[in-house]
Amino acid sequence: MDFQMASFITSGLLVIIGLYGVFFVDNVLKKIIALEFLGNGVNLALITIGYNGRIVPIKLPGVSFEVFAKESAYPLTHALVLTNIVIEASMLAVMLGVSIILYKKYKTLKSSVILKED
């Protein structure tokens, strides 16, 4: 099994675990962790698509531009993943803040109990 196939299988497992946690787990914190699994699975799939067995898309000294352009990995997916990591960090902070507020109000993090009380 080559590196890309193993990476695609890992990203698929992360996405499946994340989807299971989001839809079938009752705890809010576990749902947040499942969302992180889902996001990391998508990021890994994007990196794997852009990698394509080439060098890292960073211009190093001593490498001519023609060689760099010919042999570097596709940089758009790397830029998308970096943007997604920043957005995920912000969303994680907001979700954890909301979960703290929910726990203070309802004294539990079970989503079935929280949804019944409103």
Side-chain angles (χ1 to χ4, degrees), residues 11-49:
S11 67
L13 288 174
L14 286 173
V15 168
I16 290 170
I17 291 170
L19 288 175
Y20 175 79
V22 167
F23 290 119
F24 298 112
V25 174
D26 194 32
N27 191 314
V28 173
L29 279 180
K30 290 179 182 177
K31 285 183 185 284
I32 292 171
I33 293 170
L35 281 173
E36 287 297 313
F37 271 65
L38 185 64
N40 288 332
V42 170
N43 286 342
L44 184 60
L46 285 173
I47 288 292
T48 305
I49 290 169

Side-chain angles (χ1 to χ4, degrees), residues 97-112:
V98 170
S99 67
I100 290 171
I101 293 170
L102 286 173
Y103 184 76
K104 284 182 179 177
K105 184 174 181 179
Y106 297 105
K107 303 296 182 200
T108 185
L109 286 177
K110 290 186 174 184
S111 58
S112 60

Side-chain angles (χ1 to χ4, degrees), residues 64-80:
S64 68
F65 187 75
E66 290 82 21
V67 172
F68 172 73
K70 186 178 179 182
E71 296 184 7
S72 68
Y74 194 52
L76 178 63
T77 57
H78 291 77
L80 286 173

Side-chain angles (χ1 to χ4, degrees), residues 40 43 78-91:
N40 288 332
N43 286 342
H78 291 77
L80 286 173
V81 168
L82 286 175
T83 305
N84 193 19
I85 288 171
V86 171
I87 292 170
E88 277 188 20
S90 303
M91 285 179 48

